[in-house]
Amino acid sequence: MKLKAIVAAVMGAVIATSAVAKDNSEFKLGFSVPQLANPWFVGVKLGMEKACNELGIKCISIDAQYRVDKQVSDIENMINDKFDAIFTTAIDANALIQTFEDAKKAGIATGSIAQVVPNSHLLYGMDEYNYGHAIGTQAAQWAKKKLNCKGKVALITEDNVEAVKRRGDGIEAAIKEVCPTMQIVARQAGDNPESGMKIIEAVLQQHPDLNLVIGSNDSGGIGGYQAMFSNDKVGDDKAVFSGDATKEALALIAEEGSIYRGTVDLYPFKGGYESAKYLYEMATKGLPAEPKKVFLPYVPVPQEDVISGKYKPAY
């Protein structure tokens, strides 16, 4: 009887421990965001929050303000605070490898999206060059049709982020393939609308006849559009293209007479939503021996599809 009592007590403790472990209200998922000034990351955040609400878990987003040291520190704090799962878009993937290794040793599920950390449990990645090529191709096809491949183009890229340089290369390659006679007058890094605006305002000082602005993301593209609009650079021979299909860019594309003529959907909401679900499953059912690899899809979104309603945004 004594042995049975001991077994019963142990089993009761196990059940109680399992119940605590399965209490979703205590589960914490952290997202280290490079910068919330970029609308794409807001989309990822919104997707994550929807998944967290469905699961009944806590989700916390922290803005790294595009500082590598802060991103590392933020994730270290999540580890010390015993988060159950952590994911990020890396500003500098190499700087996070050891930090993610520490998280994994602590039994924390790790993930990264877009610009991935190679030792993450979840690698929700993308092909930067091909994505850039899709952005550039849509813009170049417009230039071929409307400008007969004549005129000037400025590129707002993310060359300040090592992993994203190839996106700019893809844009530039597409321009040269489809419209080799177009003159590329600038290629500069712009991470947000403010920097994108400053870049194009400066370009317009030297090239007031600028026809085309291409942003490697909507964040820079929005700034480029604002600069063109405020300097009265509008009309049939002007255009702005970018990538990410954020709600901010889509709203500008839909405006009457807008020269914002297209974007490319990289599905940030879907990426954030699915990342949260994958990481929750890993943290609760067991960490994988090998990383799970998923790729962000992308599809061109021309202005006519936005105006007609053919394109349906995810959020």
Side-chain angles (χ1 to χ4, degrees), residues 142-183:
W142 173 88
K144 184 175 183 179
K145 180 179 179 180
K146 296 292 185 178
L147 306 176
N148 197 28
C149 288
K150 297 176 182 178
K152 296 180 178 180
V153 55
L155 311 184
I156 305 172
T157 62
E158 296 170 89
D159 292 348
N160 56 318
V161 182
E162 186 64 34
V164 193
K165 285 183 180 179
R166 290 284 289 160
R167 192 185 306 182
D169 294 342
I171 293 172
E172 190 168 335
I175 292 293
K176 291 177 179 177
E177 290 166 13
V178 178
C179 273
T181 54
M182 285 287 289
Q183 184 182 354

Side-chain angles (χ1 to χ4, degrees), residues 84-226:
D84 299 279
I86 297 169
F87 79 117
T88 190
T89 297
I91 302 170
D92 180 349
N94 291 329
L96 289 176
I97 290 174
Q98 184 56 55
T99 308
F100 264 42
E101 204 59 39
D102 294 341
K104 291 167 74 175
K105 288 176 182 177
I108 298 170
T110 60
S112 46
I113 183 168
Q115 288 77 58
V116 299
V117 184
N119 58 336
S120 306
H121 290 116
L122 171 66
L123 298 169
Y124 209 129
M126 62 182 293
D127 188 318
E128 292 285 357
Y129 183 88
N130 285 341
Y131 180 53
H133 199 274
I135 296 169
T137 297
Q138 185 174 213
Q141 287 173 342
W142 173 88
K144 184 175 183 179
K145 180 179 179 180
K146 296 292 185 178
L147 306 176
N148 197 28
C149 288
K150 297 176 182 178
K152 296 180 178 180
V153 55
L155 311 184
I156 305 172
T157 62
E158 296 170 89
D159 292 348
N160 56 318
V161 182
E162 186 64 34
V164 193
K165 285 183 180 179
R166 290 284 289 160
R167 192 185 306 182
D169 294 342
I171 293 172
E172 190 168 335
I175 292 293
K176 291 177 179 177
E177 290 166 13
V178 178
C179 273
T181 54
M182 285 287 289
Q183 184 182 354
I184 299 174
V185 297
R187 175 175 171 170
Q188 297 181 42
D191 297 314
N192 52 56
E194 182 181 2
S195 58
M197 177 182 276
K198 288 180 179 178
I199 288 168
I200 299 306
E201 284 179 340
V203 171
L204 287 172
Q205 293 296 316
Q206 294 184 330
H207 303 279
D209 55 345
L210 181 68
N211 302 96
L212 177 60
V213 174
I214 308 175
S216 67
N217 62 21
D218 284 348
S219 192
I222 288 168
Y225 171 81
Q226 291 168 338

Side-chain angles (χ1 to χ4, degrees), residues 50-51 56 95 107 134 147 183 188 218 231 237 256 276 299 304 310:
K50 179 175 174 60
L147 306 176
Q183 184 182 354
Q188 297 181 42
D218 284 348
N231 284 277
D237 65 338
E256 185 177 356
V299 60
E304 54 266 30
K310 180 179 179 181

